[in-house]
Amino acid sequence: RVVEVVEETLKGHTVRLFGTKKNEDGQKTGGAALDLPKIRKNPLIEILAVNTGCLNQCTYCKTKHARGELGSYPPEQLVARAKQAFKEGVREIWLTSEDLGAYGHDIDTRIPDLLWQLVEVIPEGAMMRLGMTNPPYILEHMEEVAKILKHPRVYSFLHVPVQAGADAVLEAMKREYTRADFEHVVDYLKENVPR
């Protein structure tokens, strides 16, 4: 986010670094407060991070070093932010995360529960788009995620990255899934979510 900070500073804006939020048990939670004022590049799109960090230890990735352990925002904060964004004229909510499927593992909830709560507050004529997820965490929610992707106010889109097609490489990368897992996710969604 260095470029963002420099750009905002050059515009004369003050940029402040906020420390890691932790709950009363000292566990990381979400990122920056969701109720901070926001300047959107596109006034019709709210990009809503559902968590920061990750659960994995992939050999090549620096996300864990940069973002730390998984820290999910509480669902009520995310729903409140979505409602506020729609009041401000937003027509699309884009959910983002280092791994959407891992949402809630740290706060005893699940991504489908959050998605259903968000679907309830999407007004007529507005849409929600899901971001990136890795196979290990979305596998446990395939049936519900497919139902959500079929909802008329949810884009039938899910970004599932391909890191390698060989199990030996995936294992060396510590990706925690196999080629068959990836193929299962893709095949299941192709079969159960119409375009």
Side-chain angles (χ1 to χ4, degrees), residues 16-50:
R16 294 193 177 118
L17 176 64
F18 296 97
T20 302
K21 293 189 324 183
K22 295 184 178 187
N23 64 18
E24 52 279 345
D25 299 326
Q27 181 182 14
K28 179 183 172 188
T29 60
L34 293 175
D35 58 357
L36 292 172
K38 196 168 207 179
I39 300 170
R40 297 181 186 94
K41 289 185 181 181
N42 183 332
L44 300 177
I45 297 172
E46 172 78 3
I47 298 174
L48 184 58
V50 300

Side-chain angles (χ1 to χ4, degrees), residues 2-194:
V2 172
V3 173
E4 261 182 90
V5 170
V6 171
E7 286 176 346
E8 292 303 313
T9 303
L10 290 174
K11 292 176 189 173
H13 299 139
T14 300
V15 179
R16 294 193 177 118
L17 176 64
F18 296 97
T20 302
K21 293 189 324 183
K22 295 184 178 187
N23 64 18
E24 52 279 345
D25 299 326
Q27 181 182 14
K28 179 183 172 188
T29 60
L34 293 175
D35 58 357
L36 292 172
K38 196 168 207 179
I39 300 170
R40 297 181 186 94
K41 289 185 181 181
N42 183 332
L44 300 177
I45 297 172
E46 172 78 3
I47 298 174
L48 184 58
V50 300
N51 57 24
T52 63
C54 72
L55 293 172
N56 298 329
Q57 296 288 339
C58 301
T59 57
Y60 63 91
C61 185
K62 295 300 179 201
T63 297
K64 187 72 149 218
H65 300 288
R67 303 280 176 118
E69 293 292 327
L70 181 69
S72 300
Y73 287 99
E76 60 275 5
Q77 288 181 17
L78 293 163
V79 170
R81 182 66 207 164
K83 286 180 178 178
Q84 180 61 38
F86 288 126
K87 283 182 189 172
E88 293 169 1
V90 162
R91 304 312 300 152
E92 293 184 11
I93 296 281
W94 292 3
L95 301 184
T96 186
S97 168
E98 280 80 31
D99 192 337
L100 200 70
Y103 171 81
H105 279 252
D106 56 326
I107 59 171
D108 199 32
T109 190
R110 307 166 328 122
I111 188 65
D113 298 334
L114 171 64
L115 297 177
W116 286 122
Q117 289 177 53
L118 288 169
V119 162
E120 289 178 19
V121 302
I122 302 172
E124 192 67 38
M127 296 290 288
M128 179 169 70
R129 178 184 183 270
L130 307 187
M132 194 276 291
T133 185
N134 288 296
Y137 303 108
I138 204 64
L139 280 167
E140 61 192 89
H141 308 299
M142 291 299 298
E143 189 174 326
E144 268 190 280
V145 168
K147 287 178 188 173
I148 292 162
L149 290 171
K150 289 190 272 188
H151 191 281
R153 286 183 291 237
V154 178
Y155 289 113
S156 58
F157 169 88
L158 187 63
H159 173 193
V160 184
V162 176
Q163 298 295 332
D167 287 343
V169 174
L170 290 168
E171 184 178 357
M173 295 168 82
K174 295 186 180 177
R175 291 296 292 159
E176 298 186 17
Y177 65 91
T178 65
R179 176 181 168 167
D181 292 334
F182 178 84
E183 289 174 346
H184 173 69
V185 170
V186 172
D187 292 343
Y188 186 90
L189 291 176
K190 282 175 64 177
E191 184 178 323
N192 292 283
V193 182

